[in-house]
Amino acid sequence: MKVLDGIKVLDLGRYIAGPYCAALLGDYGADVLRVDRPNGDDDRSILPISEQGEGAQFLQVNRNKRSIALNINSVEGKKILYKLVQRSDIVIANMPAKALKKLGIDYESLIKVKDDIILTASSAFGIDPMVQDRVAFDGVGQAVSGAVYLAGFPEQPIKAMVPMVDYSTAISCALGTMMALYERKSSGTGQEVGASLLQTGLTLSSASLIEEAALKINRQATGNRAAQYAPSDIFKVKDGWIITQVIGSDMFTRWADLIGRPELVHDQRFINDLKRGENGEILCSLMSEWCKAFTRSEALDKLEKARIPAGPVNSPRDVLNDPFIRVTKPFEWIKHPGVNNKIPIVKAPVFLSRTPASIDLRPPQHGEHTDKVMQELGYMQADINYLKAIGVLG
């Protein structure tokens, strides 16, 4: 028995924020049906790895789903879509309000089909009429929220190459969806769940925004070196790179003892975190000198014994081969059509001791379950073949 056994999800999402939310619900037992366009979708081919051109990103965010290829812009396709809505508990769609309304999947349209439906619809900038129809991807969310400005260097801002805003928005949507489901048990009524890339990005950048509002510091980018505490940076060792972060006076004392400079604790330039941040170049320079004497494993071992947070700067290949990571069992290694090697789907980030998540279905190929789903809706095979012939089904 899983948490969401019996819950049906209709996934009209694309790229990450919508599909990953749906995948998380599927991990905990929901029956998730992805609605593909008859001729396929662009989000299937990002970082292609299979013979069919399916991408790594698609495979990660579309496990535990089935797929129907359906033209929801056609009259007959809309009828089928609404039949699917009638048997669903949740509809997920990350697109602008205007697109939702045009497709007939805005909340006002859906509750006419099923009055207790939950619509989870993330957007780029929120629901205010001035911004609700603007589009964006993860990098835009990072940039407008202040994160990109503070990364990199003053002459060159740098965004994270991993879509942290998209995935964080998806997790927020999953949380909101679960709360709406819980509330529906008592009220019997659905509702619309929303999140935006902007709000997620602002949340991730919130401490810097609060600091600026209070102190008017106008911080500038300092590369990998933290501005508010030190030493915190990426350091070169004999055979690679490590990151370490020293925060708080107790940890700073242990670090000073580790590098053989206990007198630093009493130096007025380093008397608290803010002072250490202001003089971070000096402390990071001392740390760089210390690191030169050790290999990565030697340095990390000494830092761990001193209880100082540190880790290797891993490449994707390093991550897959890292025995420390492997012992946590973070991946479900699955076989996928058109890919020679098994691929590592990253498991859900939330652990439940009694009703854990699991990845039971590989990501679906385009329209793989169209016939089966249509049969579940009561269509005969002759009708299904006809709908394929006229382009309603893929």
Side-chain angles (χ1 to χ4, degrees), residues 250-369:
D250 289 346
M251 195 178 296
F252 181 71
T253 299
R254 297 198 300 272
W255 173 80
D257 288 339
L258 175 67
I259 69 165
R261 297 292 301 273
E263 74 279 5
L264 296 174
V265 173
H266 306 291
D267 191 316
Q268 291 302 301
R269 295 174 299 173
F270 315 128
I271 202 65
N272 57 37
D273 273 337
L274 282 177
K275 285 290 186 182
R276 290 189 283 271
E278 291 171 7
N279 295 284
E281 287 188 57
I282 298 171
L283 295 174
C284 288
S285 177
L286 293 172
M287 184 62 176
S288 291
E289 285 300 315
W290 182 84
C291 285
K292 287 178 181 178
F294 305 108
T295 64
R296 191 165 73 167
S297 61
E298 290 169 344
L300 292 174
D301 182 61
K302 291 178 181 295
L303 287 161
E304 173 59 28
K305 287 177 179 176
R307 304 302 293 161
I308 295 170
V313 177
N314 281 333
S315 69
R317 180 173 294 180
D318 292 333
V319 170
L320 295 175
N321 295 323
D322 191 325
F324 182 81
I325 293 175
R326 283 196 173 223
V327 77
T328 69
K329 298 180 174 62
F331 307 118
E332 187 75 38
W333 291 85
I334 68 169
K335 195 81 178 91
H336 190 79
V339 184
N340 291 330
N341 301 318
K342 283 189 174 183
I343 59 173
I345 302 297
V346 181
K347 296 177 183 177
V350 180
F351 167 74
L352 298 180
S353 64
R354 190 168 51 81
T355 53
S358 63
I359 298 175
D360 303 312
L361 295 176
R362 62 163 173 77
Q365 294 185 285
H366 172 251
E368 182 175 350
H369 305 94

Side-chain angles (χ1 to χ4, degrees), residues 35 59 66 78 165 197 207 246 251-252 276 324 362 381:
V35 179
L59 298 181
R66 298 186 293 165
K78 189 77 71 187
V165 172
L197 300 184
V246 177
M251 195 178 296
F252 181 71
R276 290 189 283 271
F324 182 81
R362 62 163 173 77
Q381 191 61 49

Side-chain angles (χ1 to χ4, degrees), residues 68-328:
I68 181 173
L70 177 65
N71 179 8
I72 65 174
N73 285 308
S74 66
V75 174
E76 192 62 38
K78 189 77 71 187
K79 290 180 183 177
I80 296 169
L81 174 69
Y82 285 160
K83 286 185 179 182
L84 292 170
V85 171
Q86 286 171 349
R87 71 172 199 170
S88 298
D89 298 282
I90 301 159
V91 173
I92 294 176
N94 54 314
M95 57 187 73
K98 186 183 293 184
L100 291 173
K101 192 168 185 63
K102 181 180 178 181
L103 292 171
I105 53 175
D106 57 301
Y107 185 62
E108 288 71 22
S109 297
L110 291 178
I111 58 174
K112 294 174 183 176
V113 180
K114 190 171 191 288
D115 59 9
D116 67 346
I117 198 73
I118 293 168
L119 171 64
T120 300
S122 61
S123 61
F125 296 101
I127 61 174
D128 187 279
M130 287 188 63
V131 299
Q132 65 181 3
D133 291 319
R134 294 183 61 181
V135 296
F137 279 139
D138 175 272
V140 177
Q142 290 187 40
V144 299
S145 64
V148 172
Y149 183 87
L150 290 176
F153 304 91
E155 67 276 9
Q156 178 60 69
I158 297 175
K159 81 174 184 71
M161 292 306 293
V162 294
M164 60 182 188
V165 172
D166 268 338
Y167 275 103
S168 298
T169 301
I171 294 170
S172 297
C173 285
L175 171 64
T177 303
M178 291 300 298
M179 289 191 288
L181 270 176
Y182 182 80
E183 193 277 339
R184 193 179 72 170
K185 291 173 66 178
S186 57
S187 70
T189 305
Q191 58 184 301
E192 185 172 354
V193 176
S196 71
L197 300 184
L198 173 62
Q199 194 69 20
T200 300
L202 293 173
T203 300
L204 297 174
S205 300
S206 56
S208 296
L209 304 178
I210 293 169
E211 181 194 51
E212 175 59 25
L215 303 178
K216 312 297 184 187
I217 290 176
N218 193 26
R219 288 202 183 276
Q220 302 299 304
T222 54
N224 295 308
R225 176 170 59 82
Q228 300 90 346
Y229 44 86
S232 177
D233 206 336
I234 289 175
F235 302 98
K236 187 169 179 55
V237 291
K238 284 184 175 180
D239 57 348
W241 299 84
I242 65 169
I243 186 171
T244 190
Q245 297 172 285
V246 177
I247 304 176
S249 295
D250 289 346
M251 195 178 296
F252 181 71
T253 299
R254 297 198 300 272
W255 173 80
D257 288 339
L258 175 67
I259 69 165
R261 297 292 301 273
E263 74 279 5
L264 296 174
V265 173
H266 306 291
D267 191 316
Q268 291 302 301
R269 295 174 299 173
F270 315 128
I271 202 65
N272 57 37
D273 273 337
L274 282 177
K275 285 290 186 182
R276 290 189 283 271
E278 291 171 7
N279 295 284
E281 287 188 57
I282 298 171
L283 295 174
C284 288
S285 177
L286 293 172
M287 184 62 176
S288 291
E289 285 300 315
W290 182 84
C291 285
K292 287 178 181 178
F294 305 108
T295 64
R296 191 165 73 167
S297 61
E298 290 169 344
L300 292 174
D301 182 61
K302 291 178 181 295
L303 287 161
E304 173 59 28
K305 287 177 179 176
R307 304 302 293 161
I308 295 170
V313 177
N314 281 333
S315 69
R317 180 173 294 180
D318 292 333
V319 170
L320 295 175
N321 295 323
D322 191 325
F324 182 81
I325 293 175
R326 283 196 173 223
V327 77
T328 69

